[in-house]
Amino acid sequence: MNENYTHINDAHLIEYLQKRTTDTENKQIENWMQVSEENRMQFENVKQLWKISSMTEDFEKIDTDASWKKVAHKIEDSTEPKVRKIGFSILWKVAASVILLIGISIPFFIDNDTSLIATTTKEYTLPDGTQLWLKKGSELTYTNDFNAEKRDVKLKGEAYFKVAKNKLKPFTITLNTTTTKVLGTEFNLKDDKSNGTSLTLIEGSVKFSNKKTFKIIKSGETVSAQEDGTLAVNSIKNVNVDSWKTKIFQFNKTDLSQVIKDVANAYDTQFIIKNEALLDCKLTATFNNQSLDMIVETLRVLYQFSVVKDGDTIRLINGRCVS
C-alpha cells in the first residue's frame, strides 16, 4: 500500500475486511477513516456491500464485470456522480453481484413479516382464527411464525378485533407507544389524532399499557393514552364505536359534537361547525348504512345549516338547535 494514504481505493478496503492486510496497512486504513466523514462513509458503503456479497458461496463465480456493464452505462449517461470514479473496481463487482443476487437469491431478501394493508375497510382472519376489521388506510403486521409460540401484531390506524381465545398464547398488539394484551375478547383499537391512542372494550377484559403504566380495562370502558403518559379511563358507553365498519349509527340525545365525530371517523372526512354553541345540541336518530351525503342532508334540514363542501372538509354554517 502506498505510504501516502490520503487516497485508499475500494480494493484495499475489501482486503482489509477480509483480514488480508498487514498490521501497518491496517493502521493506515484506520487512520484514513478518521481523516474525514467522507472517508468513513466510503468505508461503510464498501462494508455493507461486502457483507451482502458474502451471503452466497457463488459470489466469485458470478461474471460481475459483464453484468455491471449492462447497468453502468445508464449511470454514465446520467448526471455526474458526486463520488469519485473507480472504474470496474471490486466495489463495482460487489454492487453488480448484489443486483444479480436479488434476481437469483430472492429468499435471502424476503421480509419475514406479513402486512395487511386496507385500501378499503375490510375483514380479515388471522392464522389463529382471530377476526379483525381494518379501517381504510390502516395496516396490521405480523411475523410469519405468528401463533407458533406467540401472537404478536403491530397496528397502524384503527381496527376492530374479535380475538380467538387461547390462554396459553396471549394476543399482543403494539400501537404507537401502547401495548394491548388479551387472551380472547372483542374490542376497538385506534390511533386517535385528537385524543391519543384509545381502546374501547366490548366484552371481557384487557391489559392496556404504555411505557409508564398500565390499566386493566373492563367491558364497556374506553381507555386513552395521553401525551403526558397518563392513561384515562372513561365508562361512558359509545354504541357507535364500530360504526366505521358497520355504517350503522344510533344517537339518543347525543351531543352534536359526538355525532359529527363519529360520522367523520366512519367516512374519513372532517366537519367544521362555525357556530360552536351548536355543539351541545342533541340528536336522536338512527342511520342504517346511509351515505355521507344523506347524513349531511339530514343534519342540514334538522339544524337549518348552510353546507359548504371543500374536498374532505364539510363546513356547517349558521343553524339552530332542534327545539
Side-chain angles (χ1 to χ4, degrees):
M1 185 180 296
N2 196 318
E3 291 183 0
N4 179 10
Y5 54 88
T6 57
H7 172 79
I8 294 180
N9 64 32
D10 301 305
H12 289 141
L13 295 179
I14 292 292
E15 290 174 351
Y16 172 81
L17 291 167
Q18 294 174 331
K19 302 185 183 304
R20 292 164 52 190
T21 48
T22 65
D23 290 342
T24 300
E25 290 172 336
N26 291 343
K27 187 172 183 60
Q28 288 177 343
I29 291 175
E30 288 161 4
N31 289 339
W32 169 84
M33 281 190 284
Q34 298 183 22
V35 169
S36 69
E37 180 67 13
E38 181 180 357
N39 290 354
R40 190 185 69 80
M41 290 302 298
Q42 179 188 340
F43 173 76
E44 290 298 329
N45 289 337
V46 172
K47 182 179 178 181
Q48 289 302 315
L49 290 172
W50 176 73
K51 282 184 176 180
I52 295 173
S53 71
S54 301
M55 292 171 62
T56 174
E57 296 178 353
D58 294 330
F59 169 56
E60 294 298 335
K61 301 177 183 178
I62 299 174
D63 187 359
T64 53
D65 284 341
S67 303
W68 176 250
K69 289 177 183 178
K70 294 179 182 179
V71 296
H73 73 278
K74 296 181 181 179
I75 298 176
E76 296 295 334
D77 292 340
S78 64
T79 56
E80 187 69 20
K82 295 181 180 179
V83 297
R84 60 187 176 83
K85 289 185 178 180
I86 58 175
F88 295 109
S89 69
I90 288 183
L91 175 59
W92 294 131
K93 295 190 71 174
V94 173
S97 73
V98 172
I99 295 173
L100 290 181
L101 286 172
I102 290 174
I104 65 176
S105 302
I106 291 297
F108 284 112
F109 298 94
I110 293 178
D111 197 347
N112 194 35
D113 291 344
T114 296
S115 293
L116 307 176
I117 302 174
T119 56
T120 185
T121 297
K122 188 176 179 181
E123 180 182 357
Y124 299 89
T125 301
L126 298 183
D128 68 332
T130 292
Q131 293 176 274
L132 72 125
W133 289 258
L134 276 180
K135 189 173 182 287
K136 178 182 177 182
S138 299
E139 179 179 350
L140 185 116
T141 303
Y142 59 92
T143 59
N144 289 338
D145 61 354
F146 174 84
N147 200 38
E149 295 182 1
K150 56 185 179 179
R151 301 187 291 170
D152 294 349
V153 301
K154 294 180 181 179
L155 175 65
K156 295 178 182 179
E158 183 170 4
Y160 189 97
F161 292 86
K162 286 186 177 181
V163 177
K165 295 183 184 298
N166 189 331
K167 294 182 179 180
L168 300 179
K169 299 176 187 175
F171 192 98
T172 303
I173 308 163
T174 301
L175 173 58
N176 296 330
T177 60
T178 69
T179 300
T180 301
K181 182 172 288 189
V182 304
L183 299 178
T185 188
E186 190 171 339
F187 55 94
N188 192 86
L189 181 63
K190 68 176 177 178
D191 180 4
D192 191 327
K193 302 301 181 183
S194 59
N195 294 318
T197 305
S198 67
L199 178 147
T200 300
L201 185 61
I202 307 303
E203 63 178 34
S205 65
V206 305
K207 180 181 179 181
F208 186 84
S209 60
N210 59 16
K211 294 179 180 179
K212 290 187 175 182
T213 186
F214 73 91
K215 296 282 187 182
I216 302 298
I217 309 303
K218 299 178 181 179
S219 177
E221 293 182 332
T222 296
V223 58
S224 299
Q226 309 299 305
E227 290 185 0
D228 62 1
T230 60
L231 300 180
V233 179
N234 188 340
S235 60
I236 299 176
K237 186 176 182 180
N238 181 6
V239 297
N240 300 310
V241 65
D242 63 341
S243 293
W244 57 268
K245 73 180 181 68
T246 65
K247 296 302 187 289
I248 298 174
F249 301 87
Q250 295 178 359
F251 300 115
N252 183 18
K253 296 181 180 180
T254 306
D255 288 348
L256 192 56
S257 59
Q258 185 64 48
V259 172
I260 62 174
K261 182 179 180 180
D262 291 343
V263 174
N265 184 56
Y267 290 94
D268 295 310
T269 190
Q270 179 184 14
F271 282 93
I272 297 177
I273 293 184
K274 290 291 186 179
N275 186 354
E276 293 185 357
L278 300 183
L279 293 174
D280 293 330
C281 295
K282 308 298 181 184
L283 175 66
T284 298
T286 299
F287 299 102
N288 191 343
N289 211 27
Q290 256 89 35
S291 66
L292 175 61
D293 287 341
M294 179 62 71
I295 295 174
V296 172
E297 177 63 13
T298 301
L299 297 179
R300 184 193 70 79
V301 172
L302 287 175
Y303 298 100
Q304 298 183 13
F305 285 122
S306 295
V307 179
V308 177
K309 295 182 179 181
D310 182 13
D312 292 330
T313 301
I314 299 174
R315 289 181 171 84
L316 304 177
I317 304 170
N318 299 320
R320 64 177 181 81
C321 281
V322 179
S323 57

